[in-house]
């Protein structure tokens, strides 16, 4: 921790009520943070650069902001950071150096460019895994209505988890949006974690295959077209083999027996033009999500972990993805494990890097709230969970 580290007062922190554009991440309101925080954090991944920065509102506290920019537009990203630094320089009340906390692979790949384009700014690299855990712990313990489960079989598919300080042990499955599911981490304490597994199957797998098999040109477009797809036109189902459920093994007729199993026909040269892009997209999304869910379950079972957090920009509040991961965890564990999601899922690393330069100040009294006193309006369209999340307007106050 730097001698010039700032103090972040998280007493009364809450997710902002302000309306944002689709796929934008909401600010976090810090009503008791009256001191300006000048440093900025960036997590540069293979597909996206995530930025976290603070703005003050005079005596009314301030806000943590969360922004994403495609890594291929790194020059535009650095220009944005430079503008933030220029504003921070004007607001600084002392002669201490401005600091950019950088994590992710791009912190190393673009380190020289960051230094060259940000004169007078100290660029400090931080370990990626360490930042992920620091960021996740912050959201779990300090931000109400951040963590939730998702199950489309329930009248209200999204259920918030109670904020608690008793969080260990748990497992973090970090799924990038465009590179890989690079790490599964077992976390047993604030600074105690280990990488227990990993796989090359992840966001990059989905992105690559969809680029080949559909006309989608962005990750969000790929997710969007999958909403109208019907995977049974592409996948071979249990019912296609048995004509009904396979009840002895607990397999429903709608269970996927073979992803893309209906595509191959002996003696027929198939073309993607023979299938709807939305059906292909739905099948691919199920294929990747189901496998990630099973890999997560197997690792959790091996290490005796019940709580599984999914982070990274792969999910993006997408209901099909969340429901598939939840179903996989619930099915394989016989309901003994939970798949947990976060409203700021893509900014764990950047937030952790930001907090590496901040000392968290908590209130003398503990923050408490009762989940059963708050029920979000039931979403008439449970597939539209992202809209449901973003329309959840809750500002919490500390108990006296």
């Amino acid at each position: 921790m730097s001698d010039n580290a700032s103090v972040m007062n998280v007493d009364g922190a809450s997710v902002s009520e302000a309306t944002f554009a689709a796929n934008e991440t909401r600010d976090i309101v810090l009503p008791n943070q009256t001191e300006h925080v000048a440093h900025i954090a960036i997590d540069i991944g293979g597909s996206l650069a995530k930025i976290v920065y603070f703005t003050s509102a005079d005596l009314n506290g301030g806000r943590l902001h969360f922004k994403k920019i495609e890594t291929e537009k790194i020059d535009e990203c650095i220009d944005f950071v430079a503008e933030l630094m220029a504003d921070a320089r004007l607001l600084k009340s002392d002669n201490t150096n401005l600091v950019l906390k950088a994590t992710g692979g791009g912190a190393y790949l673009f380190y020289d460019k960051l230094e060259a384009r940000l004169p007078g700014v100290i660029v400090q690299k931080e370990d990626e895994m360490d930042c992920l855990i620091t960021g996740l712990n912050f959201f779990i313990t300090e931000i109400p209505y951040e963590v939730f489960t998702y199950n489309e079989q329930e009248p209200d598919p999204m259920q918030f988890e109670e904020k608690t300080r008793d969080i260990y042990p748990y497992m973090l499955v970090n799924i990038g949006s465009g590179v890989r599911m690079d790490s599964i981490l077992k976390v047993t304490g604030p600074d105690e974690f280990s990488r227990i597994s990993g796989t090359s199957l992840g966001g990059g797998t989905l992105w690559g295959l969809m680029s080949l098999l559909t006309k989608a040109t962005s990750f969000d477009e790929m997710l969007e077209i999958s909403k109208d797809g019907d995977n049974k036109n592409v996948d071979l189902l249990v019912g296609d083999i048995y004509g009904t459920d396979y009840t002895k093994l607990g397999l429903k007729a709608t269970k996927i027996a073979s992803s893309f199993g209906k595509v191959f026909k002996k003696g027929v040269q198939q073309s993607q033009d023979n299938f709807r892009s939305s059906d292909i997209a739905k099948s691919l999304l199920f294929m990747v999500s189901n496998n990630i869910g099973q890999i997560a379950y197997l690792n959790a079972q091996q290490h005796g972990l019940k709580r599984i957090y999914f982070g990274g920009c792969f999910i993006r509040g997408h209901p099909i993805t969340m429901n598939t991961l939840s179903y996989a965890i619930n099915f394989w564990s016989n309901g003994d494990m939970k798949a947990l999601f976060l409203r700021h899922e893509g900014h764990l690393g950047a937030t952790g890097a930001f907090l590496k330069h901040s000392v968290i100040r908590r209130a003398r009294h503990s923050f408490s709230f009762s989940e059963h006193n708050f029920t979000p309006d039931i979403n008439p369209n449970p597939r539209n969970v992202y809209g449901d999340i973003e329309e959840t307007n809750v500002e919490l106050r500390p108990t006296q």
Side-chain angles (χ1 to χ4, degrees), residues 320-354:
I320 298 172
T321 308
M322 292 189 296
N323 197 64
T324 303
L325 289 169
S326 293
Y327 178 84
I329 297 299
N330 183 70
F331 177 83
W332 291 111
S333 72
N334 292 318
D336 198 35
M337 298 176 187
K338 274 187 178 181
L340 299 166
F341 306 100
L342 300 110
R343 296 174 74 176
H344 294 83
E345 62 196 359
H347 289 84
L348 305 184
T351 303
F354 186 89

Side-chain angles (χ1 to χ4, degrees), residues 13 38 68 98 146 149 187 190 229 268 274 308 314 322 378 385 394:
K68 298 189 296 283
L98 291 172
E146 172 68 31
T149 58
V187 185
V268 177
N274 296 339
I308 306 172
F314 172 77
M322 292 189 296
I378 293 176
V385 68
V394 180

Side-chain angles (χ1 to χ4, degrees), residues 251-267:
L251 298 175
K252 294 182 179 179
T254 53
K255 180 75 175 174
I256 298 172
S258 175
S259 296
F260 279 74
K262 285 181 180 171
V263 173
F264 174 77
K265 291 182 180 179
K266 191 174 182 179

Side-chain angles (χ1 to χ4, degrees), residues 350-369:
T351 303
F354 186 89
L355 294 172
K356 292 292 182 181
H357 199 68
S358 301
V359 177
I360 293 181
R361 177 190 296 149
R362 298 184 176 93
R364 288 174 298 175
H365 43 68
S366 62
F367 193 103
S368 65
F369 66 97

Side-chain angles (χ1 to χ4, degrees), residues 22-283:
N23 295 325
E24 286 296 316
T25 305
R26 285 180 177 240
D27 299 344
I28 288 179
V29 178
L30 299 173
N32 295 294
Q33 178 61 34
T34 56
E35 187 178 331
H36 182 67
V37 179
H39 69 274
I40 297 166
I42 186 169
D43 174 9
I44 310 176
S47 61
L48 293 172
K50 287 76 66 177
I51 302 168
V52 173
Y53 61 98
F54 177 85
T55 60
S56 56
D58 299 323
L59 299 178
N60 298 316
R63 290 171 178 259
L64 276 181
H65 300 270
F66 305 88
K67 185 175 179 63
K68 298 189 296 283
I69 299 176
E70 294 177 3
T71 302
E72 65 180 24
K73 300 176 182 177
I74 190 63
D75 290 326
E76 177 183 321
C77 177
I78 298 175
D79 287 342
F80 179 76
V81 172
E83 292 176 9
L84 294 177
M85 287 295 184
D87 292 340
R89 188 172 282 110
L90 293 175
L91 293 171
K92 275 175 61 64
S93 59
D94 54 37
N95 294 321
T96 57
N97 291 310
L98 291 172
V99 173
L100 175 67
K101 307 294 281 190
T103 190
Y108 298 86
L109 183 62
F110 299 113
Y111 179 79
D112 292 340
K113 177 172 282 195
L114 289 167
E115 278 207 321
R117 296 277 296 278
L118 300 170
V121 175
I122 297 176
V123 181
Q124 296 178 344
K125 298 189 291 290
E126 294 289 343
D127 178 75
E128 183 176 4
M129 298 300 111
D130 195 19
C131 288
L132 283 172
I133 299 305
T134 300
L136 178 55
N137 286 346
F138 169 75
F139 287 117
I140 295 172
T141 61
E142 304 296 344
I143 308 302
Y145 303 108
E146 172 68 31
V147 179
F148 62 96
T149 58
Y150 186 77
N151 182 357
E152 287 186 357
Q153 301 304 311
E154 299 293 335
D156 183 4
M158 184 179 66
Q159 296 292 326
F160 287 104
E161 289 284 294
E162 213 172 310
K163 185 169 68 68
T164 178
R165 301 246 186 252
D166 184 22
I167 62 175
Y168 306 108
Y170 67 78
M171 191 172 83
L172 169 62
V173 182
N174 191 53
I175 318 171
S177 59
V179 185
R180 61 196 186 282
M181 185 181 81
D182 54 358
S183 288
I184 297 178
L185 304 176
K186 175 183 178 180
V187 185
T188 54
D191 299 305
E192 301 171 1
F193 64 89
S194 58
R195 183 178 186 272
I196 57 177
S197 188
T199 175
S200 60
L201 182 70
T205 309
L206 182 64
W207 199 332
L209 290 174
M210 281 207 186
S211 295
L212 286 173
L213 300 177
T214 74
K215 295 181 180 179
T217 57
S218 72
F219 199 76
D220 289 324
E221 186 181 349
M222 294 171 190
L223 294 178
E224 189 63 31
I225 64 173
S226 71
K227 292 180 180 179
D228 298 321
D230 188 347
N231 71 299
K232 73 174 181 290
N233 296 326
V234 177
D235 296 338
L236 186 69
L237 308 182
V238 169
D240 296 322
I241 301 172
Y242 294 98
T244 183
D245 296 345
Y246 192 162
T247 53
K248 187 174 182 179
L249 294 181
L251 298 175
K252 294 182 179 179
T254 53
K255 180 75 175 174
I256 298 172
S258 175
S259 296
F260 279 74
K262 285 181 180 171
V263 173
F264 174 77
K265 291 182 180 179
K266 191 174 182 179
V268 177
Q269 178 65 52
Q270 291 283 25
S271 166
Q272 65 218 57
D273 295 332
N274 296 339
F275 303 90
R276 293 197 312 154
S277 290
S278 58
D279 296 343
I280 292 172
K282 177 68 74 65
S283 175

Side-chain angles (χ1 to χ4, degrees), residues 283-337:
S283 175
L284 286 170
L285 188 60
F286 279 155
M287 181 182 73
V288 173
S289 299
N290 269 320
N291 276 274
I292 290 174
Q294 186 172 15
I295 291 168
Y297 157 73
L298 290 171
N299 278 279
Q301 181 191 47
Q302 182 180 9
H303 292 269
L305 303 171
K306 304 288 188 183
R307 298 170 66 82
I308 306 172
Y309 292 93
F310 289 92
C313 287
F314 172 77
I315 299 169
R316 303 196 187 192
H318 194 250
I320 298 172
T321 308
M322 292 189 296
N323 197 64
T324 303
L325 289 169
S326 293
Y327 178 84
I329 297 299
N330 183 70
F331 177 83
W332 291 111
S333 72
N334 292 318
D336 198 35
M337 298 176 187

